Structure formats: C-alpha cells, structure tokens
Amino acid sequence: MRIGVITFPGSLDDRDAARGIRIAGAEPVPLWHGDHDLQGVDALVLPGGFSYGDYLRCGAIAAHSPIMTEVIEAANSGMPVLGICNGFQMLTEAHLLPGGLIRNEAGAFVCRDQRLRVESTNTQWTSAFEEGEEIVIPLKNGEGGYIADTATIERLEGEGRVVFRYLGANPNGSINDIAGVANERGNVVGLMPHPEHAVEPGFGPDTAAAMRSGVDGLRFFQSVLQTVLA
C-alpha cells in the first residue's frame, strides 16, 4: 500500500508521518503542495507544522494549494485522508471536515503527552482501536480549540462522528473536549494530537511499562492498511 504525505511550505512533521507509515508496513510517498499529481497513492496524510507561517489563519492558505484540488476530489471519491494538527486545520478550511480551530483557550502553545478516549472505530483510520479505549498521543499546538455552531456539534455527536475526545484536562478549550472528528463517510479524519510521534518504542510517550514506550499512534496507520487492503 502506498500512502502519500504532502509537504507544504512550513510542514514540520512530514518525515515523522512517513516514518510511521513505513513502520506500519506501507510505502510512504512524498508529495509536493505545488503539484497536481497524487502519484497513484491509496491514502493521504496532511502533516502537522506551520504551513505558510500560519498567516491569515492556520491552514487557510494551504487549503488553496494546487494539490488540494486533487485532495478534495480524492476525499470526495472515498480515499482515506488523515489531517494531523495543521493538516486538521487544512481539512476544515477546505470544507472536507466541519467546524474550525482557534487559538488555545489559555492563549499559549501547549506541548504534552495527551490522554484521549477513542469514541469511534467506524473510520478508515481507527478500525484497529476499541471503542472507549484510552490512549496517549503527543500534542503540540497553539491553535487547537475546536469550534462549530450548535447544530453542527449536535450532528457530529448524534452521528458518532466525534472520533477522539480529550481526557483529563482539556488542553485548548475545544467544545465538548473534542480532539478529532470524521466526515460522514468515515474516510476523512482530522485530529490535533500527533500519532506519528507515538509509533516506535524509545521515542513515544511514557507508559506504565517503560519510559518512552508508547506506540498508540502506530494503529492509525495500521488501521488504514487493514481497511484498504481488506
């Protein structure tokens, strides 16, 4: 399986995402924001970072990059697309996911290992989890507060499209502690925490077993392999 990772000006975690994909057993394919070619990939990752310096709004300029024409078409055709942090912001700006992300409630950048509850396994990126499972994924953002109007929040909750929810303290003031959401079809998922930073023992979050041994993020990439290759 080939999974494309798109690099935008200011992307920081594209290589980390590619490493996670490789460890999961797929082939990462580097893609460039200025191209109009997805190179025949089976899935896409929009990585974290500060695309275009976060000018205007986070993800707003990147959402109009040339390659996003193909991303939107592919997503609407059913291709799995994962947006991580800045990638999540791009997906909302491109209207592939509802709502938006604003400045953290405390007004400060937050960087920590974050507890999450898996709310839905009915997506192509979460099938390897158990519903209600608690996981730990690193989080690092300054504008991660998820917002949407009341009707949208009610629809997301009612349709089971809230995919992850913050546990413990809400790090950014997101409505209903929402950490990630999916589209109606379940092929497009966006979340603020960074699963690509929890894929390899020795480099992930601390666990009860050992320091830096957390690899919960690896199952995002294993999930998409399972669903696409099934």
Side-chain angles (χ1 to χ4, degrees):
M1 181 175 174
R2 303 171 74 246
I3 302 178
V5 180
I6 304 173
T7 297
F8 298 84
S11 293
L12 299 179
D13 301 296
D14 44 351
R15 293 188 179 184
D16 300 82
R19 183 170 180 79
I21 290 165
R22 189 177 295 109
I23 292 172
E27 177 189 351
V29 179
L31 302 174
W32 182 241
H33 76 108
D35 294 336
H36 281 285
D37 184 5
L38 297 183
Q39 298 185 31
V41 298
D42 304 295
L44 290 165
V45 174
L46 279 60
F50 301 91
S51 59
Y52 294 92
D54 280 350
Y55 291 115
L56 186 58
R57 290 184 311 275
C58 297
I61 300 176
H64 294 279
S65 288
I67 203 168
M68 289 301 292
T69 301
E70 283 66 39
V71 172
I72 292 169
E73 181 179 347
N76 288 334
S77 297
M79 180 181 288
V81 179
L82 178 66
I84 303 170
C85 196
N86 195 216
F88 185 12
Q89 295 160 343
M90 294 178 207
L91 291 177
T92 62
E93 291 287 346
H95 305 295
L96 288 172
L97 290 175
L101 288 306
I102 62 172
R103 188 72 178 165
N104 291 347
E105 189 174 55
F109 186 88
V110 176
C111 182
R112 71 189 199 193
D113 292 340
Q114 178 66 48
R115 291 172 57 225
L116 302 174
R117 182 170 62 242
V118 180
E119 299 285 7
S120 173
T121 58
N122 297 320
T123 82
Q124 292 181 304
W125 296 95
T126 58
S127 61
F129 294 99
E130 296 291 333
E131 191 170 317
E133 181 180 1
E134 295 186 12
I135 62 175
V136 179
I137 301 292
L139 175 135
K140 50 175 186 174
N141 64 69
E143 298 189 27
Y146 184 76
I147 59 168
D149 60 60
T150 300
T152 298
I153 295 295
E154 290 177 350
R155 186 170 67 253
L156 290 172
E157 296 282 8
E159 295 177 356
R161 290 166 55 194
V162 174
V163 184
F164 298 98
R165 210 179 300 273
Y166 296 117
L167 291 177
N170 183 327
N172 44 41
S174 292
I175 295 174
N176 290 8
D177 300 326
I178 293 172
V181 300
N183 66 346
E184 293 181 3
R185 196 168 181 172
N187 62 303
V188 179
V189 171
L191 77 162
M192 289 310 296
H194 287 258
E196 77 280 13
H197 294 324
V199 298
E200 188 174 12
F203 299 93
D206 295 342
T207 70
M211 293 177 61
R212 299 298 178 192
S213 61
V215 292
D216 288 334
L218 186 59
R219 281 184 283 168
F220 284 78
F221 307 112
Q222 292 171 335
S223 292
V224 76
L225 263 70
Q226 292 173 6
T227 55
V228 171
L229 298 178

